Amino acid sequence: MAGERSGTQNLDTYFQKLMVVSGRSKMGGGVMVGWKDLPMELLLRIASFVDDRTVIVASGVCTGWRDAICSGLTHLSLSWCKENMNNLVLSLAPKFTKLQSLTLRQNKAQLLDNAVEAIANNCHELRDLDLSKGHRLTDSSLYALAHGCPHLTKLNISGCSAFSDSALAYLASVCTKLKCLNLCGCVRAASDRALQAIAYSCIQLQLLNLGWCENITDKGVISLALGCPDLRALDLCGCVLITDESVIALANGCCHLRSLGLYYCQNITDRAMYSLASRRVKGKSNTLWDSVSLNGSSSSSSHDDQGLMNLNISQCTALTPPAVQAVCDSFPALHTCPDRHSLIISGCLNLTSVHCACAVQAHRMGRIALSHHAY
């Protein structure tokens, strides 16, 4: 096959580079003259530099290579596979049982439930799984993952529109170590009921994408604010039913929140903005907004006490400049200047007067320079 020839050529290339660097290499008592003579440790080292397609080809070279790669491979992406991804997963899942990260993002829906079931039955050490755009997957996949991969910490099922909230709630009750969950576009699955289950079971949750899950109401978001105090990033873009009550609950309950997306949440008013700003003021004395990075480690002192670092309020047309300016003034990491755009207000023509501190400073410096030039 053309793919196999390409993979072998890649291995030859890396072997030749290895020989140039080392001059020559000996294995045991003999000279290593080809890449088939590579010891396991060196093979895995080379495999870490080549693309995943080549790694798969390499695993079929011989029994020794298959055993070495299958036992040592922990990260794999098959997103390059444009056809027959389902069959490829069915053939690889029983071999690559040590996988911890697997990306199966699709441009067109290929995966079926039997492929996800094969992953769940064989890859019990999986921590990170991307099934985005899996339109053909059903609840059977989520139930299988709950039973076979209970240690998941990161799951992307964005665009998997066939999942139900019952299956998602069950998954959350088992996969309690989830820290990152992408539910963008999962309109059926992301309901208030499912969010309540997530809030109850997944208390370590840090990043959650609920973009365009238009059935979500304040009830679900308030549950998250109460149950997931370590939440760092929350995307509610297009959640048209939420109101100020959701933002107030997040301001009071999620002291580590760094990124909040409210695009097109047109029920949000100044009351929500002032709640964010006032919570910041309270947090300064109580150190509630202590800086913690998204990966869970303490950040440097330069980021201490910065609070919100990204806020998207585009198309929130009910907001007024004083309320948004109060938020901008309260959080020094929010910027309206072009090169550091982290306060996004597009579509809100009445908010053009809102500026971050550095933009104001730049404006002042410009005026000073002009005045000196005049003299």
Side-chain angles (χ1 to χ4, degrees):
M1 294 175 61
E4 292 181 352
R5 288 196 298 271
S6 175
T8 301
Q9 291 168 359
N10 287 342
L11 291 171
D12 285 331
T13 300
Y14 276 92
F15 180 78
Q16 293 302 326
K17 289 181 179 178
L18 178 68
M19 293 300 101
V20 169
V21 172
S22 61
R24 67 175 186 172
S25 181
K26 292 185 177 182
M27 182 181 64
V31 178
M32 184 165 55
V33 296
W35 43 260
K36 288 184 180 181
D37 299 321
L38 292 175
M40 181 185 302
E41 295 79 6
L42 192 53
L43 169 62
L44 292 176
R45 179 63 175 167
I46 292 178
S48 67
F49 290 104
V50 300
D51 60 82
D52 290 320
R53 191 194 307 247
T54 304
V55 171
I56 293 172
V57 172
S59 68
V61 169
C62 62
T63 302
W65 277 39
R66 182 196 65 199
D67 294 342
I69 292 176
C70 290
S71 64
L73 190 68
T74 58
H75 294 69
L76 181 67
S77 173
L78 299 181
S79 295
W80 49 266
C81 185
K82 306 304 180 185
E83 301 288 343
N84 300 316
M85 181 188 286
N86 200 77
N87 290 334
L88 184 59
V89 172
L90 288 174
S91 66
L92 295 180
K95 303 175 184 176
F96 297 155
T97 58
K98 301 299 182 181
L99 284 178
Q100 295 182 18
S101 176
L102 179 59
T103 301
L104 299 174
R105 185 176 181 85
Q106 307 154 76
N107 290 323
K108 67 174 183 178
Q110 301 182 59
L111 284 183
L112 301 176
D113 289 329
N114 61 344
V116 179
E117 290 166 357
I119 295 168
N121 290 334
N122 293 281
C123 305
H124 302 302
E125 298 181 21
L126 205 60
R127 301 292 189 272
D128 180 352
L129 179 61
D130 186 342
L131 296 174
S132 51
K133 297 185 179 181
H135 306 300
R136 302 173 70 181
L137 299 178
T138 72
D139 287 351
S140 297
S141 290
L142 291 188
Y143 287 120
L145 289 174
H147 292 145
C149 305
H151 303 298
L152 282 172
T153 60
K154 185 176 181 181
L155 178 63
N156 185 347
I157 54 173
S158 59
C160 295
S161 54
F163 292 151
S164 71
D165 59 349
S166 299
L168 179 58
Y170 182 79
L171 177 83
S173 70
V174 178
C175 299
T176 58
K177 298 178 182 178
L178 279 172
K179 291 186 176 181
C180 306
L181 182 58
N182 191 337
L183 301 175
C184 182
C186 297
V187 179
R188 290 186 62 229
S191 66
D192 288 340
R193 175 191 173 193
L195 294 189
Q196 287 175 318
I198 291 170
Y200 181 79
S201 300
C202 304
I203 60 175
Q204 301 180 55
L205 195 65
Q206 295 183 0
L207 286 82
L208 178 60
N209 189 336
L210 296 172
W212 305 105
C213 296
E214 55 191 29
N215 294 326
I216 292 172
T217 71
D218 291 333
K219 184 178 180 180
V221 178
I222 292 173
S223 297
L224 289 172
L226 295 174
C228 303
D230 204 26
L231 204 60
R232 318 293 177 90
L234 178 62
D235 193 342
L236 295 169
C237 295
C239 297
V240 295
L241 299 180
I242 67 168
T243 71
D244 294 337
E245 300 304 323
S246 289
V247 179
I248 293 171
L250 291 168
N252 291 330
C254 300
C255 60
H256 301 305
L257 195 64
R258 296 292 175 266
S259 178
L260 180 60
L262 298 172
Y263 172 77
Y264 212 75
C265 297
Q266 297 188 328
N267 292 323
I268 301 299
T269 71
D270 289 351
R271 182 166 166 252
M273 297 297 100
Y274 284 122
S275 72
L276 288 173
S278 64
R279 189 57 178 172
R280 167 65 170 175
V281 173
K282 296 176 184 177
K284 283 183 177 180
S285 60
N286 296 326
T287 64
L288 291 176
W289 287 89
D290 55 312
S291 180
V292 182
S293 65
L294 290 180
N295 63 10
S297 61
S298 297
S299 61
S300 63
S301 57
S302 63
H303 291 107
D304 283 350
D305 204 34
Q306 285 194 337
L308 276 177
M309 302 176 73
N310 292 279
L311 178 63
N312 186 345
I313 50 174
S314 297
Q315 301 296 334
C316 295
T317 52
L319 299 178
T320 65
V324 178
Q325 188 65 60
V327 175
C328 195
D329 293 341
S330 297
F331 300 103
L334 289 178
H335 295 277
T336 57
C337 43
D339 56 333
R340 304 174 69 183
H341 208 74
S342 59
L343 175 61
I344 306 173
I345 55 177
S346 59
C348 301
L349 297 179
N350 61 323
L351 299 181
T352 54
S353 62
V354 176
H355 294 290
C356 60
C358 58
V360 173
Q361 182 67 19
H363 180 67
R364 288 174 180 170
M365 294 300 292
R367 291 178 61 184
I368 292 173
L370 286 174
S371 64
H372 286 316
H373 181 72
Y375 285 109

